[in-house]
Amino acid sequence: MVTSQKKEPDSSSSKNELSPDQTLGLVSLSLMQKLSQKDPSFSWLVDTKPDQINVKKLRDRLELTELAINTGAPLSTTEVSILMGAKPGKSKIERGGLLATKIARNVWKLSKIGQGSSYYRN
């Protein structure tokens, strides 16, 4: 009959060595940090300065504005306020080359000023 023996881990080597899970975690973290240097979408991994945070916020706002214009998605008053930088007070508001048109209560559509009035041109 064969008896199985459990191997006792060497206590001196286990203190200095990492477990496989810890090793995998460190490798993954270092890979993500390398990716963050090449791709700004991983910027949450890197410590950023206040100026870089402001640039990222501006970039995000511009990307969201472009997405809202291209898709024609309905926006709330709060979303229009964030994207345009001012709360709309009338049913149509123009600011910075953008036109926000009120469709219904708390429903807005965002377009470029040239796109919103293109039906007046020949």
Side-chain angles (χ1 to χ4, degrees), residues 9-60:
D10 186 14
S11 62
S12 63
S13 66
S14 66
K15 290 180 183 177
N16 296 332
E17 293 180 11
L18 297 174
S19 71
D21 292 337
Q22 291 171 326
T23 305
L24 181 62
L26 285 175
V27 170
S28 299
L29 180 62
S30 64
L31 177 63
M32 295 297 281
Q33 287 174 338
K34 287 180 183 176
L35 285 173
S36 71
Q37 293 171 354
K38 295 179 182 176
D39 187 2
S41 65
F42 292 104
S43 63
W44 55 271
L45 291 168
V46 181
D47 292 332
T48 55
K49 297 179 182 175
D51 292 339
Q52 292 174 337
I53 292 172
N54 290 337
V55 170
K56 184 178 180 339
K57 286 181 182 178
L58 175 63
R59 179 180 176 192
D60 291 345

Side-chain angles (χ1 to χ4, degrees), residues 71-87:
T71 61
L75 302 171
S76 68
T77 305
T78 304
E79 293 166 338
V80 170
S81 300
I82 292 169
L83 294 178
M84 294 189 75
K87 185 175 180 179

Side-chain angles (χ1 to χ4, degrees), residues 105-120:
R105 183 177 182 263
N106 200 28
V107 180
W108 296 80
K109 182 178 178 185
L110 203 60
S111 62
K112 291 182 182 177
I113 288 181
Q115 289 177 344
S117 60
S118 63
Y119 56 90
Y120 288 116

